[in-house]
Amino acid sequence: MPLPLFPVTSVGSWPRPDWLLDAMKRRRPNLRELMDQATLLSIRQQEDAGVDLVTDGEQRRDNFYSFLCEKLDGLQLMTMADLLDHVEDKAGFEALLQTLDVPAFAIRNPTVVGKLKAKAPLVADDARFLRAHTRRAIKVTLPGPYLLSRSMWVKRLSERAYPTRAGLIDDLVALLRAELLELERIGVDMVQFDEPVLTELVFAGKSSTRTFMCAALAAQASPESELELAVELINRVVEGVTGTITGIHVCRGNWSRKEEVLLAGSYDPLMPTFARMKVKQFVLEYATERAGTLDALRELPPGAQVGLGAVNPRTSEIEPHEQIVARARRVAELRGQAAVFLNPDCGFGTFAERPINDAAGATAKLAALAAAARDLR
Ligand SMILES: [Zn+2]
């Protein structure tokens, strides 16, 4: 579907209504129906805000990757608190959860406990629902292959099905690629893969301790070889796909409004990695000062688009109009105006029970992007 210049979109998640959260918690028999209603509400709110590329708000998901448990055999949903009993350095992990302001009971991780086998499409059904309920272009989000390879494999629980993390990787790539091809067939305008763990690799240093970042539990090799692996995996997933805009979203965490507990540092050290990725768009956060300056964007591959994070989803105040416009103009100078999309830095409700904004706040933030886009056009 043709898009206007400076298309406005969200990064994926939208705050769930209280009645949906309540129904999720109590596992109400009409949950499916309520999820449909919440999705319709999310679509309308985005449309009212002036969004050009609409998502389903991830209303059916507990978080941006845990939902895979319902789609694949071989996974078990475990809270951070459950996982404490299984990680090798229990005391270290517990201390980390406390210092990082992570709610150990509210964040759930899909953990491999058997061979992965699809029992339902990962998101294709949700994409069809979205396609049927908006006239606008649509974007669908999927967890990235590298993130999944780090978070799903927990040695003590996973080694019977997959003795090594490497063994899990081929299955993950095949599943995500099949899903991407299906989304392309459905006519999804953009598919975004979420890979927030990449920042942890460059900012957390060569530490052998586990870090929380999206439950990146699997032991890592050197950051260099992990980044190499991340490039290889995403390229295997998107290879040759041109019928939909493929994107990758990389941020520094979105679980707290306390800026000081989230990772900090510019994208510069990730640019050599991005430069080798065959995705069309890089969805990056720039509304937070922790992300450094826009100059790093020069280093993206030729022809790459930027999903410019121009509002911070974790604050209540709305960014000044002139600031959003000026930053978008700057990126247009660096990358060409046809390459600039406008979005928030991250989702508004990455973790269902712990949204970092409410629907009114999210709508106001997107409306500010839409107003900037009108001026820019
Ligand atoms: Zn994010």
Side-chain angles (χ1 to χ4, degrees):
M1 193 175 288
L3 288 166
L5 280 175
F6 300 100
V8 172
T9 187
S10 75
V11 169
S13 61
W14 194 258
R16 285 88 174 156
D18 288 341
W19 44 263
L20 178 62
L21 289 175
D22 183 66
M24 286 165 96
K25 206 178 294 173
R26 294 166 200 271
R27 302 190 167 278
R28 294 264 190 233
N30 62 339
L31 187 55
R32 202 71 242 157
E33 202 181 300
L34 295 176
M35 285 172 166
D36 284 353
Q37 282 178 29
T39 302
L40 293 173
L41 184 62
S42 162
I43 293 170
R44 293 292 95 82
Q45 287 167 335
Q46 292 171 69
E47 289 180 347
D48 289 347
V51 164
D52 302 297
L53 197 61
V54 176
T55 74
D56 75 351
E58 302 179 7
Q59 299 295 295
R60 296 180 180 85
R61 307 184 189 184
D62 169 64
N63 74 40
F64 70 109
Y65 65 113
S66 61
F67 70 99
L68 294 184
C69 283
E70 287 152 39
K71 315 292 182 175
L72 298 172
D73 283 327
L75 288 177
Q76 190 181 326
L77 198 59
M78 298 180 81
T79 65
M80 292 293 127
D82 298 333
L83 285 167
L84 263 179
D85 293 333
H86 299 281
V87 294
E88 286 142 80
D89 174 17
K90 184 176 162 144
F93 189 63
E94 195 159 24
L96 187 87
L97 293 179
Q98 280 166 9
T99 54
L100 290 184
D101 185 34
V102 175
F105 293 91
I107 294 182
R108 297 174 190 85
N109 186 63
T111 309
V112 169
V113 293
K115 275 276 179 197
L116 293 187
K117 192 164 162 281
K119 52 183 176 184
L122 305 182
V123 290
D125 290 344
D126 302 346
R128 282 189 197 91
F129 184 89
L130 177 60
R131 183 61 288 162
H133 290 95
T134 180
R135 290 170 185 272
R136 303 197 190 175
I138 60 170
K139 170 177 177 174
V140 171
T141 55
L142 274 168
Y146 178 74
L147 161 77
L148 294 179
S149 82
R150 282 290 297 281
S151 58
M152 281 183 168
W153 195 80
V154 177
K155 189 173 190 321
R156 277 196 214 168
L157 299 166
S158 313
E159 65 185 346
R160 206 182 305 166
Y162 296 95
T164 64
R165 180 181 154 216
L168 173 67
I169 280 173
D170 285 346
D171 283 1
L172 286 175
V173 167
L175 283 163
L176 290 174
R177 180 163 176 83
E179 197 70 15
L180 174 61
L181 295 176
E182 182 62 14
L183 295 175
E184 188 185 29
R185 268 191 294 275
I186 292 168
V188 173
D189 300 274
M190 176 169 175
V191 180
Q192 171 190 297
F193 291 91
D194 296 323
E195 287 287 19
V197 188
L198 298 185
T199 51
E200 179 254 359
L201 284 173
V202 291
F203 301 140
K206 295 188 188 219
S207 159
S208 61
T209 51
R210 306 293 187 267
T211 70
F212 160 67
M213 193 69 179
C214 303
L217 295 163
Q220 57 178 85
S222 69
E224 294 76 18
S225 58
E226 291 292 311
L227 290 169
E228 191 63 41
L229 177 65
V231 171
E232 180 203 321
L233 297 191
I234 193 72
N235 286 350
R236 283 169 65 190
V237 171
V238 304
E239 184 71 50
V241 173
T242 54
T244 184
I245 299 170
T246 55
I248 188 167
H249 168 59
V250 181
C251 66
R252 292 160 186 73
N254 196 41
W255 64 85
S256 174
R257 274 193 171 212
K258 296 179 186 165
E259 288 283 307
E260 69 277 11
V261 304
L262 303 172
L263 293 171
S266 89
Y267 285 105
D268 285 289
L270 278 173
M271 282 298 155
T273 302
F274 290 167
R276 287 178 294 130
M277 289 182 164
K278 294 175 183 165
V279 294
K280 180 74 181 166
Q281 187 175 128
F282 294 83
V283 180
L284 305 176
E285 53 178 358
Y286 271 109
T288 173
E289 286 177 5
R290 287 177 293 104
T293 69
L294 295 167
D295 294 334
L297 298 174
R298 285 180 207 280
E299 310 302 324
L300 289 178
Q305 298 172 341
V306 176
L308 174 67
V311 289
N312 185 340
R314 294 173 299 276
T315 57
S316 300
E317 57 279 6
I318 306 299
E319 283 73 4
H321 179 78
E322 291 313 321
Q323 175 187 309
I324 300 171
V325 170
R327 289 192 183 165
R329 284 212 175 104
R330 176 71 187 131
V331 181
E333 277 167 24
L334 292 169
R335 308 294 316 174
Q337 62 176 11
V340 189
F341 285 52
L342 299 179
N343 44 255
D345 275 3
C346 195
F348 290 102
T350 301
F351 302 97
E353 286 173 33
R354 204 173 152 91
I356 37 111
N357 221 315
D358 56 24
T363 304
K365 293 268 182 179
L366 292 186
L369 295 179
R374 281 193 295 275
D375 258 14
L376 288 157
R377 286 166 196 159

